[in-house]
Amino acid sequence: MNWPSHGSNPQHLFKSMGLSLPDKYIDFSANINPIGPPSVLKEKWNDFYQEINVYPDPFAEQLKSRIVESEQISDDSILIGNGGAELITLVARFLTGKKVIVVEPTFSEYEKACRANHCEIQYHQLKEPNFALSMDELHPKLPSADALFLCNPNNPTGIQYSVSTILSIIEECEKQNCFVILDEAFYDFLIDYHSFIPYINRFSNLIIIRSMTKMFAIPGLRLGYAAAPPNIIAELSTLQPHWSINTIALLAGDLCLQNKKFIKQTQVYIWEERERLLTFFMKKHFVITPSQVNFYLLRDPCLKNQFSFFEFLLHKGIIPRHTFNFPGLEGNWLRFAIKSKEENSKLMEVLLEWRQLH
């Protein structure tokens, strides 16, 4: 079956399964902020309209200044991009023809972009159910690699790796002349995340990718940034199309980054809802990953293959993210985003119905 490669756009999933999209459904497959965009964007939307006849700043100086102020790094260490996806594509072009390790399970776009640029891909597969990342197991693969992709917190498991583990990987990779591409797309959903951006001043091989579409629920605008040593940023920028980021995205991003209260509100909400869901899952004997962000993997341990469970949920208007295109998962888990309290309660209601039947 030709499974969709991303969450969201559920019409493509239902089409691939030969089903009709129901009139009412809840899409748990897209892991963006359930609170929605900051209200200031709606308040300023008419002001944005006044700017659509103006070419965007190709250097994104205003937004870049906001990030520089927040992260305490130089402006030549930042590259603004059209979402994390564009930045991943730019990094893959930077690595054209190189040997790349992808720590799995993870976001499929790393492999897709690297293969499009003729990279040689090697998996480093983490083992369920805890998906622990061990430097001892990874170490033997590094001498033959030019780059390593690592997502922290991980998508799709939601697991955050320890600071000591990641630092040991970066240090060893630097000794082996191997770049580390650290995707921090979901870092701001964590209350106490240890940022690795300061380490770009210490390590010459570190490239960090951040998305702004997840926390601020603006996937339709597309916005993100990369942080890396200036020489790497300079090379990545030569690969980026001109006018890559539109004016409205730049203005919206600047407003979003000023909204610290919104970020804290989101973090607290996600923590509370995740705890409520976890209590229910444990009580009803579902297995989930030890996620610390706004999504998690779940499975029914009574089933080896989760397809019948997946199909049941779709018929009930509950749309999780399938895992058929995550190497090492092969459909044996389902990924759910944390949604509104009402929507999460509906999920629990449907799971209770499933449990009563099985």
Side-chain angles (χ1 to χ4, degrees):
M1 187 179 293
N2 186 23
W3 294 101
S5 58
H6 294 278
S8 192
N9 302 123
Q11 68 274 17
H12 300 304
L13 172 64
F14 276 76
K15 183 179 180 181
S16 69
M17 293 190 65
L19 300 174
S20 297
L21 186 68
D23 293 332
K24 293 183 179 181
Y25 60 85
I26 305 174
D27 186 3
F28 285 87
S29 71
N31 43 13
I32 64 171
N33 192 333
I35 295 175
S39 59
V40 67
L41 297 187
K42 187 174 183 179
E43 295 165 9
K44 295 290 186 178
W45 199 253
N46 286 338
D47 295 342
F48 292 168
Y49 178 77
Q50 304 303 318
E51 303 294 328
I52 64 172
N53 64 340
V54 178
Y55 276 96
D57 176 4
F59 304 107
E61 287 184 348
Q62 183 174 333
L63 179 58
K64 190 181 291 185
S65 295
R66 187 74 60 188
I67 297 168
V68 165
E69 178 185 358
S70 174
E71 300 297 333
Q72 296 295 297
I73 55 173
S74 61
D75 61 358
D76 58 358
S77 295
I78 292 287
L79 178 65
I80 311 297
N82 191 325
E86 184 196 33
L87 295 164
I88 292 167
T89 298
L90 296 180
V91 170
R93 290 176 186 166
F94 172 71
L95 297 172
T96 295
K98 302 292 187 182
K99 295 179 180 179
V100 174
I101 296 173
V102 179
V103 178
E104 296 282 2
T106 198
F107 187 40
S108 61
E109 205 66 33
Y110 310 145
E111 179 179 356
K112 182 180 178 182
C114 286
R115 288 201 184 280
N117 288 279
H118 312 292
C119 295
E120 181 182 324
I121 309 294
Q122 181 182 7
Y123 297 144
H124 178 71
Q125 191 69 53
L126 306 184
K127 298 173 183 177
E128 58 180 63
N130 294 322
F131 299 97
L133 178 58
S134 166
M135 184 60 203
D136 290 339
E137 294 177 0
L138 180 59
H139 186 278
K141 300 178 181 179
L142 297 179
S144 62
D146 299 304
L148 178 142
F149 278 83
L150 177 64
C151 185
N152 184 55
N154 176 264
N155 177 17
T157 66
I159 294 170
Q160 177 184 195
Y161 307 121
S162 72
V163 173
S164 60
T165 297
I166 292 179
L167 282 179
S168 66
I169 289 172
I170 298 170
E171 289 171 349
E172 186 59 33
C173 283
E174 186 175 52
K175 293 176 185 176
Q176 304 290 347
N177 294 314
C178 176
F179 291 104
V180 175
I181 298 88
L182 185 63
D183 187 345
E184 293 187 332
F186 299 95
Y187 82 100
D188 41 5
F189 286 93
L190 294 162
I191 293 174
D192 58 350
Y193 187 67
H194 181 95
S195 172
F196 286 88
I197 282 187
Y199 293 100
I200 65 172
N201 297 317
R202 175 177 162 189
F203 296 106
S204 62
N205 63 325
L206 180 59
I207 303 171
I208 294 173
I209 295 174
R210 286 185 170 177
S211 168
M212 294 176 63
T213 64
K214 312 297 186 183
M215 169 56 71
F216 300 112
I218 53 170
L221 289 181
R222 312 303 307 144
L223 196 60
Y225 60 93
N231 64 308
I232 296 177
I233 292 295
E235 189 162 352
L236 291 175
S237 66
T238 66
L239 303 172
Q240 187 177 39
H242 213 52
W243 318 121
S244 175
I245 309 99
N246 70 75
T247 297
I248 294 177
L250 291 173
L251 292 170
D254 186 47
L255 288 174
C256 286
L257 288 181
Q258 296 178 55
N259 206 329
K260 305 297 185 185
K261 184 178 179 181
F262 175 84
I263 296 172
K264 177 58 76 173
Q265 175 191 3
T266 297
Q267 291 170 342
V268 171
Y269 171 79
I270 293 298
W271 185 86
E272 291 176 345
E273 277 299 281
R274 191 174 59 242
E275 290 300 301
R276 184 169 77 99
L277 287 161
L278 177 60
T279 300
F280 171 83
F281 297 146
M282 292 179 65
K283 184 177 179 181
K284 299 303 176 184
H285 308 292
F286 290 98
V287 176
I288 69 164
T289 51
S291 171
Q292 296 181 52
V293 287
N294 60 316
F295 55 88
Y296 51 89
L297 290 182
L298 177 144
R299 65 182 175 87
D300 183 345
C302 301
L303 302 173
K304 179 172 176 57
N305 185 305
Q306 303 294 304
F307 186 80
S308 61
F309 180 32
F310 181 49
E311 202 170 27
F312 172 85
L313 292 170
L314 295 182
H315 283 292
K316 293 292 181 178
I318 300 293
I319 306 175
R321 169 70 162 89
H322 71 84
T323 60
F324 291 102
N325 62 335
F326 286 100
L329 298 184
E330 280 83 37
N332 292 324
W333 296 78
L334 300 175
R335 192 190 71 189
F336 293 83
I338 293 176
K339 305 282 283 185
S340 70
K341 289 187 178 181
E342 180 182 1
E343 290 169 323
N344 293 332
S345 294
K346 179 61 178 179
L347 170 62
M348 289 190 282
E349 178 185 319
V350 172
L351 291 181
L352 183 58
E353 185 179 345
W354 165 266
R355 185 52 79 221
Q356 289 170 345
L357 294 171
H358 300 80

